[in-house]
Amino acid sequence: MELIGKYKKYIIISLLVLIAFFVAYKFIKKESILETFSTSAKEDDYDYSDGNTKNDTLEKYGFHAVENYVVKEVGEVRRTPNFAPYNTIHKLRFGTKIYTKEVDSTSNIEIDPALIAREIRNDYVAVYASKPVMFSDMPVGYMAKGDFVRKSEFKNFKPEPIKPEKIEFDAGVKATIEETILTSNDGFALADDFRRYNKSVVYGDFNNDGQSDFSVLLDNADGTRSAVLIYFFNAEKNVYDLMLKKAYDGLLNIKSIKKTTSIVVNSESTSFPLDGVLITNASNSGYFHVFNPDNKSFMILPH
């Protein structure tokens, strides 16, 4: 008890700090579009009131709430109705439900153009996390028109695939590949499709000298053949030396196999003492390429 009494002050301070962190975390964390909505909503300056009582239902102004669904793999909700940098405040997945305020075509009320302008600006539409009832209900943000559709249109809608970004290879690797393509002039080149391009280079220590080597898969123009090229890093000259180039029929895939990895060759399980390169077709059959230090050549074994 004496020990507790002695450090009572420090214990209380520590507990207060933990409580403060917990409270801050609860306020800062945003896990849903509803939370984002609640933290970003502010009162607007449009006069919706009759005296001291609000009377701004959507129906009064000739609008109604419309249920929509996001049709992008990633739909960006923006703070303002434009494509300004660092303007995204929330990212919604395909199929997320959102609401919009739209003019009710069955209404006989004369529509105020200023109200339409509040909901649609620069091809961006104000979106709501929950169904708006009042015109003073504030949106979570703005989404581009093409990023969502009405509920009636969503049933058979398929999302557009995310377009992959082209990765940047190491400068020395890229320069080596480009020089080989230029000097060979045999119709093989890096794939135009970013998905294949991004997976066309693999790395490993293919001659077990402690240096990082690489292998690249090139395709011909009509996509009917692929060529595997294996380079060793020459530390003395600080360049990559081309050690193997072999073409195969079909559009192939490439993978680096780390040494001692258990693999199947001719229906038997085995492993290699150094890294290798595996190329496969759509049926997952193909060839291992493993360097033999004794005769300075590659063994090409069926997968």
Side-chain angles (χ1 to χ4, degrees):
M1 293 299 293
E2 286 185 17
L3 186 64
I4 293 176
K6 182 178 179 180
Y7 293 99
K8 182 178 179 180
K9 178 181 177 181
Y10 300 103
I11 293 172
I12 293 173
I13 292 173
S14 298
L15 287 173
L16 289 175
V17 171
L18 287 172
I19 292 171
F21 271 110
F22 177 77
V23 172
Y25 175 78
K26 294 296 287 183
F27 274 97
I28 293 172
K29 187 183 179 193
K30 298 178 182 179
E31 289 188 345
S32 69
I33 187 172
L34 284 171
E35 290 178 359
T36 304
F37 173 83
S38 64
T39 56
S40 63
K42 295 180 181 178
E43 183 62 78
D44 63 35
D45 56 5
Y46 196 87
D47 185 12
Y48 298 112
S49 60
D50 291 341
N52 295 322
T53 305
K54 279 200 169 185
N55 183 21
D56 66 326
T57 62
L58 296 182
E59 290 77 10
K60 177 182 176 180
Y61 294 93
F63 283 72
H64 65 158
V66 176
E67 183 177 327
N68 307 275
Y69 289 85
V70 175
V71 293
K72 294 286 187 180
E73 285 286 357
V74 178
E76 294 186 345
V77 179
R78 296 185 167 273
R79 192 179 305 277
T80 54
N82 53 55
F83 195 69
Y86 311 110
N87 199 19
T88 299
I89 56 175
H90 209 88
K91 293 184 178 181
L92 305 182
R93 292 176 295 180
F94 175 83
T96 300
K97 183 195 298 185
I98 58 172
Y99 291 90
T100 54
K101 297 174 184 173
E102 298 183 14
V103 173
D104 186 350
S105 59
T106 64
S107 174
N108 295 320
I109 297 173
E110 184 177 351
I111 306 299
D112 186 344
L115 294 180
I116 298 177
R118 298 178 74 86
E119 301 303 313
I120 305 177
R121 286 182 260 175
N122 305 323
D123 287 328
Y124 283 83
V125 182
V127 296
Y128 300 79
S130 56
K131 187 175 182 178
V133 177
M134 302 293 186
F135 224 109
S136 53
D137 292 340
M138 296 298 291
V140 62
Y142 298 84
M143 292 187 71
K145 281 184 177 181
D147 287 0
F148 60 89
V149 296
R150 291 190 173 201
K151 179 181 178 180
S152 58
E153 303 172 38
F154 179 70
K155 183 177 180 181
N156 298 315
F157 206 99
K158 293 183 178 180
E160 294 181 7
I162 298 176
K163 295 181 179 179
E165 295 184 1
K166 190 175 183 180
I167 65 172
E168 287 295 330
F169 298 132
D170 173 82
V173 169
K174 186 176 181 181
T176 300
I177 296 171
E178 290 176 345
E179 182 180 1
T180 300
I181 293 172
L182 184 63
T183 56
S184 298
N185 195 28
D186 54 6
F188 286 98
L190 287 164
D192 292 326
D193 179 78
F194 283 3
R195 287 182 176 83
R196 282 190 62 77
Y197 178 94
N198 290 347
K199 297 179 180 180
S200 62
V201 174
V202 297
Y203 301 89
D205 184 3
F206 302 131
N207 59 347
N208 211 27
D209 65 350
Q211 301 291 336
S212 178
D213 310 312
F214 79 92
S215 179
V216 61
L217 195 67
L218 305 179
D219 299 335
N220 67 352
D222 57 8
T224 58
R225 304 192 79 208
S226 295
V228 59
L229 290 73
I230 300 178
Y231 296 83
F232 291 169
F233 182 69
N234 187 328
E236 291 184 3
K237 298 181 179 179
N238 197 30
V239 297
Y240 290 98
D241 295 328
L242 178 61
M243 305 303 297
L244 175 73
K245 180 176 183 179
K246 187 170 179 60
Y248 294 91
D249 291 332
L251 207 57
L252 306 177
N253 299 307
I254 190 169
K255 181 179 180 181
S256 177
I257 304 296
K258 298 304 178 183
K259 63 182 179 181
T260 72
T261 300
S262 179
I263 58 176
V264 177
V265 178
N266 292 324
S267 301
E268 293 185 5
S269 180
T270 185
S271 63
F272 298 122
L274 65 171
D275 298 345
V277 175
L278 171 64
I279 59 166
T280 55
N281 58 23
S283 302
N284 202 35
S285 60
Y287 295 94
F288 293 102
H289 301 72
V290 182
F291 186 66
N292 186 340
D294 294 332
N295 58 18
K296 307 297 182 182
S297 65
F298 279 87
M299 297 181 290
I300 300 178
L301 307 170
H303 172 246

